[in-house]
Structures are given as C-alpha cells and as structure tokens.
Amino acid sequence: MKKLVVVCLAAVAFSCGESKKEEKPELNISTQMEEKTAPAEATDSKVAVVSIEGNDQMKFNKDEIRVKAGQTVKLTLTHVGKMDKAVMGHNWALLTQDADMAAVGQAAAAAADNDYIPEDMSDKIIVYTKMLGGGESVTIEFEAPAAGTYTFMCTFPGHYALMNGKFIVE
C-alpha cells in the first residue's frame, strides 16, 4: 500500500510541472544517444555542420549522417567518455564505397604506430579524425564525396563492430 501511495504521489508531482516553451533543449548524453539518425545541421547550403559523439560503451550517438554532394562538411567528433585513448580511443573514419569495413578494421588493429589508420588501406579511407581519449574533441572539414552511401567507423581495435554507420550523400 505504501508503494502505491508513493507511486501516485510521484505521478502527481511529475504531471503538475510547469509548462515550457516549445524550445528544443540542449541535448544531454542520454538524449543524444537516442538520436540515431540526423541530417547535418546546415549553417548554409554550402556547409554541413555535423556533430557526433563516441562514449566509453563503444557507441556513436548517430548511425546515419546525411549531407549533400559537394557540400563542405564540418564534422566535430567528441569523446564523451572518461577513459584514456590507450584504453578506449575513438576516431571517425569515412570509407570509400567499395571498402570492406571488416578488412579496414582488421588492418587498423595492426597500425598502432599510425593512430590505427592502416597505411596499406589509405586508398579505402576518404577522411579521418585523430584518435581521441575521454573528454577530447576534434573538428575536421572536408568536401562531401559524390552521391551515394558510404560507411563511417571507429578504427580503434575491435570498435568497428559497434561503432559504425552510414554516411549518405544526396
């Protein structure tokens, strides 16, 4: 009976909160992790501004990014976790359409001296960020490739299985 009263009081307390404007609040980590598909936040038609996060659970907060062919893409990767890059490093790499993600991921595991970017697969990687540790952020700019669907991934050893998505160029 006490539990029922507590549940009822909690429901009343939450339902009586003040109403808020229809403003979209700043996203926190938990809401961003739910935001899986996102078009680029365009500042103008020539620049696509994209933000993506990686966490200590080996996940990106987006599994799809959409931009327009020929746009300048300004992509910011933020590692929202706390772990050091030697333990839980993250980067963002955009692969060519014909690249085999597993092959790139396996080759990357042997490329520790090159920030896990395999030199022998450089023809399969269009662009990439540096490797980040918890709390770090980096921004890169590049021109969106031709229309099509591309794969993006983290090249830290073993991460590509969970940390990947589609980069759709319209």
Side-chain angles (χ1 to χ4, degrees):
M1 183 66 175
K2 285 182 183 179
K3 288 182 182 178
L4 181 58
V5 171
V6 170
V7 170
C8 289
L9 288 174
V12 170
F14 283 114
S15 66
C16 293
E18 63 183 63
S19 64
K20 294 183 179 179
K21 290 182 189 176
E22 285 283 326
E23 289 181 36
K24 187 173 180 179
E26 292 236 343
L27 296 175
N28 63 29
I29 295 168
S30 62
T31 57
Q32 283 197 358
M33 296 314 290
E34 295 167 8
E35 188 180 283
K36 290 296 201 178
T37 303
E41 303 156 16
T43 55
D44 63 42
S45 62
K46 294 181 182 179
V47 179
V49 178
V50 178
S51 296
I52 188 164
E53 297 176 351
N55 63 26
D56 285 344
Q57 289 74 42
M58 289 179 17
K59 295 196 181 210
F60 283 129
N61 67 322
K62 294 180 173 106
D63 60 11
E64 185 177 290
I65 297 169
R66 291 180 178 268
V67 299
K68 305 268 187 234
Q71 272 186 315
T72 297
V73 178
K74 185 175 180 180
L75 181 132
T76 300
L77 170 66
T78 303
H79 188 321
V80 296
K82 297 187 185 324
M83 295 180 161
D84 187 73
K85 78 178 181 178
V87 178
M88 186 61 65
H90 296 316
N91 69 352
W92 186 92
L94 181 62
L95 307 183
T96 59
Q97 288 182 308
D98 66 336
D100 179 327
M101 181 177 62
V104 172
Q106 290 168 2
D113 292 343
N114 197 38
D115 229 8
Y116 299 107
I117 299 296
E119 290 180 11
D120 60 336
M121 292 270 190
S122 62
D123 62 327
K124 301 296 182 190
I125 300 174
I126 297 170
V127 65
Y128 60 90
T129 67
K130 69 180 186 173
M131 194 64 60
L132 302 176
E136 296 180 324
S137 183
V138 66
T139 300
I140 58 171
E141 285 190 29
F142 61 96
E143 185 176 318
T149 300
Y150 300 79
T151 298
F152 65 84
M153 64 183 277
C154 175
T155 63
F156 192 86
H159 287 197
Y160 72 91
L162 296 173
M163 296 186 78
N164 64 73
K166 297 298 176 196
F167 188 83
I168 300 170
V169 182
E170 301 170 329

